[in-house]
Amino acid sequence: MVYKYDFLIIGAGVAGMSYALKVARALSNDTTASTSEKNGKICLICKTSLDEANTSFAQGGVASVTNLELDNFDKHIEDTMIAGDYISDRAAVEQVVRKAPEQIQELVEWGVNFDRKDDGQFDLHREGGHSEFRILHHADDTGAEIQRGLMEAVRNCPDIEVKENHFAVEIITQHHLGVRVTRRSPNIRCYGAYVLNPEERVDTYLAKITVLCTGGCGAVYLTTSNPVIATGDGIAMAYRAKATVADMEFVQFHPTVLHNPKETHPAYLITEAMRGYGGILKLPNGETFMEKYDERLSLAPRDIVARAIDKEMKIHGLDHVCLDVTHKPAEETRHHFPNIYQKCLSIGIDITQDYIPVRPAAHYMCGGIKVDLNGQSSIEGLYALGECSCTGLHGGNRLASNSLIEAVVYADTAAKDSLKHVDWYDWNERVPEWNDEGTMTNEEKVLITQSVKEVNLIMANYVGIVRSDLRLHRAWDRLDMLYEETERLFKRVHATRDICELRNIINVAYLITRWALERKECRGLHYTTDYPLHAYDK
């Protein structure tokens, strides 16, 4: 089956839904287009249900300068540059920080609720790395509230066609027309995507503009705060299509997920806002340890805190450390963190009286598909937004709560840019349909499952919080073997979501390892025992 759309959006988190709403609004305001021309132009696909996205798992909040009496743009910009280890693109940082307040207002207009004080002003929190209170939140489920508000707006928009349980297999370029494409090929063009439907047939989606909003790649690791669907699909597809990727070595490990061996994909996130609230990191015996690593103690940036916890766990032979909020008023704790309170209570932990067992887990990819200030990738007609993109905002390490606002700001710039260019293109009718031949047996399904587990172990053991060239080369060799095996399997079986996701996590694991090998210094989230100093310290 062949479908045609002006705008094909792959992924339905905050980036994808914001972009869809912004484009739909612009089209509805375009008085030069007839009603028939407006309808059916926008398709939003997601590989599960609309409500299952990384956005839903973001607890902490959204960073934006809203209290100009205490805060200003320059402070937020500098905090972001410091957290990013001065690798961040200042133009990207300034764009996000300065455009953030207007995008917050738009989220509110779409029905998103943020907590407010009695006087109506936003109830702002402070998180690690921020010099001021500037985090807007909705209790401890901010991401879920944003997802709820945007879903309601999307479902009420007649111009957005939502297709749930549809999985993008590949984006379409000249390669699929029989043209040899290399990374140095000029003007690689995206014509849409091949999409696996719920009946496990691959359809052809032709599009003038294609937007990747596929989220992160935490499922590459053994333990992650991401849902199991976070398999790096957009990054892998773009890389196979010869798009430029960048900064893949910078994988952020959240310092504090709930230690519960029964839950690893996702591990339950204990928001950084809890440390901003006054939570103190301790060993199980009650000893504090962050004073050994940073003067900011438990409010140090995430990379420092994650490495400190990792080291303490190794020194003492522990599988977790603890976060202590028992010194805070019990009612206040329950009020600010109702979901965390109930979650911990469900496994026998009363956070008002007991320490919370925590450990680091893969959380956020700072790198991804390289884009410009408009979200445009190196492939013509292909945009990337949200966690799958590399805007330059995060540099070597993401500042807490900068990601959600980045997604909305870049959805805005991408919508404005792509609306200018959409009429330049037409659908490419020469794109061939996907070859659906092949079968998938139980034996092959077992191999796929075991290969995913192998990738998870390789990345956890050799490409984790602390790295070395020896470990990275070992990971490279093992990933290479898995890559060859999987590509042979992919060529002879019927396309399924399982085999496609396996290909994607192997591609992303390879990119993380390769970029880590190429950075010969400790910088941001990349920490290696072979090169302990910054390049500028040598």
Side-chain angles (χ1 to χ4, degrees):
M1 185 73 72
V2 178
Y3 298 91
K4 297 178 182 178
Y5 295 94
D6 281 356
F7 300 91
L8 174 63
I9 305 158
I10 303 172
V14 61
M17 289 196 289
S18 295
Y19 177 88
L21 288 166
K22 289 169 183 290
V23 170
R25 180 179 57 199
L27 293 178
S28 67
N29 291 335
D30 183 0
T31 58
T32 64
S34 67
T35 303
S36 60
E37 288 175 329
K38 294 174 186 175
N39 291 333
K41 286 196 169 188
I42 306 165
C43 181
L44 178 68
I45 70 171
C46 49
K47 69 178 183 178
T48 55
S49 61
L50 195 58
D51 59 352
E52 187 176 1
N54 266 9
T55 299
S56 298
F57 293 84
Q59 293 177 347
V62 186
S64 176
V65 175
T66 57
N67 186 344
L68 293 176
E69 293 181 5
L70 301 175
D71 201 4
N72 59 57
F73 292 145
D74 289 339
K75 288 181 180 180
H76 192 180
I77 290 167
E78 187 61 17
D79 289 345
T80 301
M81 295 298 297
I82 291 171
D85 212 350
Y86 291 98
I87 299 174
S88 300
D89 181 341
R90 183 171 282 273
V93 175
E94 293 204 5
Q95 172 169 277
V96 171
V97 169
R98 295 185 187 281
K99 289 181 178 290
E102 65 190 66
Q103 296 307 313
I104 291 294
Q105 182 57 40
E106 189 154 42
L107 286 174
V108 172
E109 291 170 3
W110 280 332
V112 176
N113 297 307
F114 295 108
D115 289 351
R116 297 177 183 267
K117 298 178 181 178
D118 292 339
D119 61 4
Q121 294 187 18
F122 291 122
D123 179 21
L124 301 176
H125 281 184
R126 180 184 173 192
E127 295 181 355
H130 288 274
S131 58
E132 298 292 347
F133 286 76
R134 66 169 69 100
I135 312 302
L136 293 85
H137 62 94
H138 180 272
D140 56 355
D141 61 351
T142 308
E145 169 60 18
I146 291 174
Q147 191 79 2
R148 181 208 59 77
L150 293 179
M151 281 193 302
E152 186 174 334
V154 164
R155 285 181 168 138
N156 288 331
C157 180
D159 293 337
I160 301 173
E161 184 176 353
V162 178
K163 294 198 175 184
E164 297 178 300
N165 299 303
H166 283 65
F167 180 82
V169 176
E170 294 285 16
I171 58 172
I172 301 169
T173 64
Q174 292 98 315
H175 167 76
H176 297 95
L177 302 175
V179 178
R180 184 174 180 271
V181 176
T182 69
R183 295 195 191 284
R184 295 185 180 180
S185 297
N187 301 320
I188 301 175
R189 171 85 175 99
C190 180
Y191 301 115
Y194 290 116
V195 178
L196 185 70
N197 66 31
E199 289 74 42
E200 294 202 338
R201 295 193 311 272
V202 178
D203 297 320
T204 304
Y205 281 61
L206 299 180
K208 297 178 181 179
I209 299 293
T210 304
V211 188
L212 293 174
C213 308
T214 53
C217 54
V220 170
Y221 283 88
L222 191 62
T223 303
T224 176
S225 63
N226 297 175
V228 69
I229 62 172
T231 49
D233 305 324
I235 296 172
M237 286 190 292
Y239 178 74
R240 289 195 294 266
K242 314 302 182 186
T244 301
V245 299
D247 295 348
M248 291 296 292
E249 70 271 42
F250 298 127
V251 180
Q252 187 177 72
F253 289 80
H254 198 287
T256 55
V257 299
L258 181 64
H259 174 60
N260 181 1
K262 295 180 180 179
E263 295 182 348
T264 58
H265 287 74
Y268 189 80
L269 186 68
I270 304 298
T271 174
E272 188 158 5
M274 186 162 274
R275 287 186 282 129
Y277 168 69
I280 301 171
L281 288 164
K282 296 181 177 181
L283 297 175
N285 64 6
E287 292 181 19
T288 60
F289 58 86
M290 280 306 300
E291 62 272 12
K292 296 190 290 184
Y293 301 97
D294 195 280
E295 62 183 11
R296 290 164 288 189
L297 305 177
S298 294
L299 279 174
R302 290 179 177 180
D303 60 324
I304 295 173
V305 177
R307 282 198 300 272
I309 294 173
D310 181 70
K311 186 171 183 178
E312 290 296 316
M313 286 167 56
K314 289 174 179 174
I315 290 173
H316 299 285
L318 302 170
D319 54 12
H320 69 276
V321 295
C322 299
L323 186 62
D324 178 18
V325 291
T326 60
H327 56 286
K328 302 290 288 186
E331 190 56 39
E332 185 179 353
T333 298
R334 285 190 288 266
H335 171 72
H336 283 299
F337 307 103
N339 294 289
I340 292 176
Y341 175 77
Q342 289 297 332
K343 175 64 179 180
C344 291
L345 205 60
S346 73
I347 59 172
I349 300 167
D350 182 344
I351 65 174
T352 66
Q353 301 177 39
D354 307 318
Y355 291 172
I356 307 169
V358 295
R359 62 171 298 147
H363 182 58
Y364 190 88
M365 168 54 70
C366 292
I369 306 159
K370 185 64 178 173
V371 298
D372 63 15
L373 291 173
N374 293 317
Q376 169 76 54
S377 76
S378 61
I379 294 179
E380 189 178 353
L382 179 68
Y383 292 76
L385 307 173
E387 191 174 349
C388 72
S389 70
C390 179
T391 65
L393 171 70
H394 306 302
N397 184 14
R398 178 178 72 104
L399 180 64
S401 292
N402 265 358
S403 53
L404 290 175
I405 197 62
E406 174 198 35
V408 184
V409 167
Y410 272 84
D412 188 67
T413 61
K416 291 173 180 174
D417 188 68
S418 56
L419 282 161
K420 293 177 187 175
H421 299 150
V422 65
D423 289 333
W424 295 5
Y425 308 119
D426 206 346
W427 298 288
N428 193 322
E429 305 284 357
R430 296 183 297 117
V431 171
E433 293 191 26
W434 185 267
N435 183 351
D436 256 337
E437 295 178 359
T439 59
M440 177 71 77
T441 68
N442 286 334
E443 182 73 10
E444 288 155 340
K445 291 178 181 178
V446 169
L447 291 177
I448 292 169
T449 301
Q450 293 306 312
S451 292
V452 171
K453 290 180 179 178
E454 285 186 57
V455 176
N456 289 164
L457 286 169
I458 288 167
M459 297 303 288
N461 291 332
Y462 307 130
V463 200
I465 296 172
V466 177
R467 302 161 179 175
S468 70
D469 282 354
L470 181 63
R471 297 180 203 177
L472 293 171
H473 280 294
R474 175 169 286 193
W476 180 284
D477 291 341
R478 281 149 178 75
L479 288 169
D480 186 59
M481 179 182 67
L482 286 168
Y483 170 80
E484 295 293 341
E485 289 177 355
T486 302
E487 288 303 303
R488 287 196 298 268
L489 182 60
F490 183 74
K491 289 175 182 177
R492 66 182 178 83
V493 301
H494 176 75
T496 65
R497 179 176 148 185
D498 289 344
I499 184 67
C500 293
E501 286 185 327
L502 173 60
R503 290 182 82 211
N504 292 341
I505 69 167
I506 290 174
N507 282 169
V508 171
Y510 156 79
L511 289 169
I512 295 169
T513 306
R514 171 185 155 189
W515 278 79
L517 277 167
E518 291 180 357
R519 185 168 287 280
K520 307 298 184 183
E521 61 172 342
C522 284
R523 198 74 182 272
L525 296 162
H526 175 67
Y527 188 86
T528 170
T529 58
D530 291 298
Y531 308 95
L533 299 176
H534 280 74
Y536 54 70
D537 288 335
K538 296 178 183 178

